[in-house]
Amino acid sequence: MAQQNVRIVMNGVTGRMGYRQHLLRSILAIRDAGGVALPDGDRLQVEPVIVGRNADKLAELAARHDIAEWTVDVDEALADDSAPIYFDALVTSERKKSLLKAIAAGKAIYTEKPIAETVGEGIEIARAADAAGVLNGVVHDKLYLPGLLKLRRLVDAGYFGRILSVRGEFGYWVFEGDLIPAQRPSWNYRAQDGGGMVLDMYCHWNYVLENILGRVETVTTRAVTHIPKRWDEKGEAYEATADDAAYGIFELEGGIVAQINSSWAVRVNRDELVEFQVDGTEGSAVAGLFGCKVQSRVQTPKPVWNPDLPTDQVFRDQWAEVPDNADFGNGFRAQWEEFLLDWHAGRPHRHDLWSGVRGLQLVDAALESSREGRTVAIEEIA
């Protein structure tokens, strides 16, 4: 068994998501496992080159995790031909500039979403990658998690019959920062820094809906800022200029209607932080990121509405768990491994920059819907 190495420029790994999910739980986990297994039995080993603005943080990370190379000079890293892949986990407002630089340097691109702040910027990036002929991919982590893998399995098996509707609930209470420190970075609540619920989460909802149930054709959304004043990492008050909640209705191809509530100002009363209920003529399912429960047509109880008597049914007990039937790993790592295998084979990655553009289409249409109080149609991009 032979080993091949690939060096990856990783920009933005001092941030929460870049560090925890991409560096620690994906790339370093792959490295410590001896690399990715190739079809011929060889191994593709990864060597991260970490990039950021804070030299002290980078040096500490490198020492803690036995990473040989780090730099605060992204241009220097991009000029290194021995590192053929560039990964981006910067704040959204900085992403377009960095991705275009990496594409111009001939790097294969793997990036967090959203890939840009607007559809126009996203199209510019995707066209640049196409023109340069570089492999590109966008993080679609939720599709690789157990709950949604099980949901996709049910759809593929025809379990639902004709699918009628989807109900999604996402969110949790993000503390304002005065009484208890906030558990999300303050830039998430400043529109000028690329923050906002719609921009952050509607890219996710687009790829979840598109890859499991069908393309989004229209959207009606109300985006709001429930909490207008928050406190940042230094304990200083600031105005929250970005939406912290969005309530959306999505019409999908095939006549499916989806409703998804997304909020950072909601207290959780469900099994997981995000859950999707899919209802069809032959059965229903409730899927989170990890669990998935089903209720078939023949197992559906017959409740009767009677406001004069308390119900004697425990509705949550009437659903059956879908078994794992497989070993499920970290979703971020699973997509990294798929992307690396695609890079090694020289083939396109199925979740490319154009998928990221379609996510931005939904974002723009949803924000337009919220501003104008109407349903907005989403045109297919040629």
Side-chain angles (χ1 to χ4, degrees), residues 164-377:
L164 309 175
S165 63
V166 185
R167 292 170 177 81
E169 289 287 343
F170 163 78
Y172 48 94
W173 189 270
V174 176
F175 285 94
E176 298 92 322
D178 54 346
L179 181 65
I180 296 176
Q183 66 269 45
R184 289 183 64 86
S186 58
W187 69 264
N188 284 273
Y189 304 95
R190 292 189 293 265
Q192 63 271 28
D193 292 333
M197 176 62 79
V198 172
L199 182 57
D200 188 22
M201 295 309 301
Y202 272 42
C203 292
H204 282 297
W205 306 154
N206 187 76
Y207 74 67
V208 167
L209 294 171
E210 176 181 88
N211 284 277
I212 297 178
L213 297 161
R215 189 181 74 85
V216 181
E217 295 182 334
T218 75
V219 60
T220 308
T221 286
R222 181 74 175 98
V224 296
T225 305
H226 285 308
I227 300 177
K229 183 179 181 181
R230 292 181 177 269
W231 284 258
D232 63 18
E233 291 78 5
K234 297 179 180 178
E236 298 177 357
Y238 68 95
E239 179 187 1
T241 54
D243 49 286
D244 58 18
Y247 308 93
I249 299 174
F250 312 84
E251 296 179 74
L252 314 185
E253 58 185 333
I256 301 171
V257 177
Q259 305 169 66
I260 303 179
N261 296 324
S262 313
S263 178
W264 288 315
V266 63
R267 294 177 176 87
V268 182
N269 183 20
R270 52 187 179 273
D271 293 336
E272 299 195 45
L273 295 184
V274 61
E275 289 185 344
F276 300 94
Q277 177 165 333
V278 179
D279 290 302
T281 55
E282 297 299 320
S284 297
V286 177
L289 298 183
F290 297 94
C292 184
K293 298 179 180 180
V294 291
Q295 186 176 98
S296 70
R297 181 182 184 186
V298 296
Q299 295 171 314
T300 303
K302 190 178 181 181
V304 177
W305 172 254
N306 186 345
D308 298 321
L309 294 173
T311 183
D312 59 358
Q313 298 188 53
V314 183
F315 294 109
R316 290 190 176 182
D317 291 347
Q318 297 166 352
W319 296 70
E321 284 282 353
V322 176
D324 287 348
N325 290 341
D327 292 326
F328 298 108
N330 180 281
F332 288 88
R333 176 178 172 177
Q335 190 178 357
W336 260 110
E337 291 178 343
E338 181 181 317
F339 180 82
L340 289 168
L341 289 171
D342 289 339
W343 173 82
H344 183 267
R347 60 180 176 241
H349 186 63
R350 57 179 170 150
H351 306 306
D352 61 7
L353 286 167
W354 287 107
S355 178
V357 170
R358 293 192 294 276
L360 287 170
Q361 272 192 295
L362 181 59
V363 168
D364 277 12
L367 292 174
E368 180 181 343
S369 170
S370 185
R371 285 193 306 269
E372 300 184 5
R374 64 181 181 88
T375 297
V376 176

